[in-house]
Amino acid sequence: MNSYSASRDLPQVDLAPLIDHSLLLPTATPEQVRQWCSECDRYQFAAICIAPTHVALAREQLQNKAIAICTVIGFPTGATTSGCKLYEAQEAVENGATELDVVINLGWLKSGQHDLLHREIAEICETTNTPVKTILETSLLTPAELSTAADLCMDAGASFLKTSTGWQGGATIEVISQLHERSRGRVGIKASGGIRTAEQALQLVQAGATRLGTSRGPDLIQQQEAFIAG
């Protein structure tokens, strides 16, 4: 899908309030962070999603704006210790983060150490008192593992289930549908990874996504506006 030719059968919703405008490249510069903040303000995106080192700058740029400052914790592997993740989360909130995208420990999930996974997420949720989106890295999970991960994270207090970091595959209609069915509206669902067109974004929303993590937010909005105008 290289252009926006959305069927009228797709939900014709405003995508902007659903987008987490993401800048998670390891080469991201302060200048790029300022640009992303400016685009968030211009298009009124839901959030900017940046690495922890850029949180304070984003807070400075987005003062008095109704835009969430989201950062990633344990990114991208989720394999750092629980103590490191908790410290990283607390420091991020102190620096101005208002949402936390936390990568779960996939090794614990796959080895059946579910109590450790649950405890880690619950501690971050309770200690920071900040909305947590748990990154499940769905392309690496079986359907059964995905259901288990979703249940554990919801029970631990997560506010969203997020598909992926974008480093190991991306969001699919099938996975979003499974998470939507599993969550039954108890939490939000963030589709992330590989969202390149407005048509694809609308398909994910139709499947149950309530947030969209993408670095191409302005492109999606421009595609949607051109389609509506034409």
Side-chain angles (χ1 to χ4, degrees):
M1 287 181 288
N2 296 317
S3 63
Y4 182 28
S5 57
S7 165
R8 293 296 181 184
D9 294 333
L10 289 174
Q12 298 302 312
V13 299
D14 183 4
L15 290 173
L18 307 180
I19 289 175
D20 285 5
H21 194 27
S22 302
L23 178 62
L24 295 170
L25 294 173
T27 55
T29 64
E31 181 180 356
Q32 287 175 306
V33 174
R34 293 186 185 95
Q35 175 188 337
W36 255 243
C37 287
S38 177
E39 290 169 347
C40 282
D41 186 33
R42 175 182 175 186
Y43 293 101
Q44 289 299 289
F45 292 142
I48 186 170
C49 188
I50 46 176
T53 191
H54 299 304
V55 166
L57 175 58
R59 178 184 62 182
E60 175 186 311
Q61 296 294 305
L62 293 172
Q63 279 185 356
N64 303 317
K65 305 291 185 181
I67 298 164
I69 298 174
C70 174
T71 195
V72 287
I73 304 298
F75 191 86
T77 68
T80 49
T81 67
S82 293
C84 286
K85 283 184 182 176
L86 181 59
Y87 180 86
E88 187 176 29
Q90 290 176 298
E91 184 181 44
V93 171
E94 290 171 1
N95 286 339
T98 57
E99 295 181 353
L100 303 170
D101 285 16
V102 181
V103 188
I104 68 168
N105 189 310
L106 295 168
W108 285 347
L109 176 67
K110 288 182 172 290
S111 62
Q113 298 181 84
H114 298 161
D115 57 331
L116 295 178
L117 193 158
H118 181 279
R119 187 183 311 147
E120 178 176 274
I121 299 302
E123 188 172 21
I124 292 173
C125 291
E126 293 167 6
T127 302
T128 64
N129 193 31
T130 299
V132 166
K133 307 188 201 87
T134 46
I135 303 177
L136 308 181
E137 208 67 283
T138 55
S139 65
L140 302 181
L141 305 182
T142 66
E145 289 170 340
L146 179 58
S147 293
T148 297
D151 289 346
L152 286 167
C153 292
M154 287 189 291
D155 187 64
S159 299
F160 281 80
L161 302 173
K162 177 178 173 180
T163 56
S164 65
T165 59
W167 292 35
Q168 298 284 346
T172 66
I173 303 299
E174 294 74 20
V175 163
I176 294 298
S177 296
Q178 182 180 348
L179 290 175
H180 176 66
E181 181 178 352
R182 195 75 184 181
S183 66
R184 298 181 180 179
R186 287 177 286 170
V187 298
I189 298 172
K190 179 175 175 179
S192 183
I195 303 174
R196 294 180 173 84
T197 69
E199 182 173 7
Q200 182 185 13
L202 289 171
Q203 289 173 341
L204 292 166
V205 170
Q206 186 176 55
T210 58
R211 284 281 190 94
L212 303 166
T214 176
S215 61
R216 296 177 172 86
D219 291 341
L220 303 191
I221 301 307
Q222 290 162 16
Q223 289 173 29
Q224 188 175 39
E225 289 175 346
F227 178 77
I228 293 171

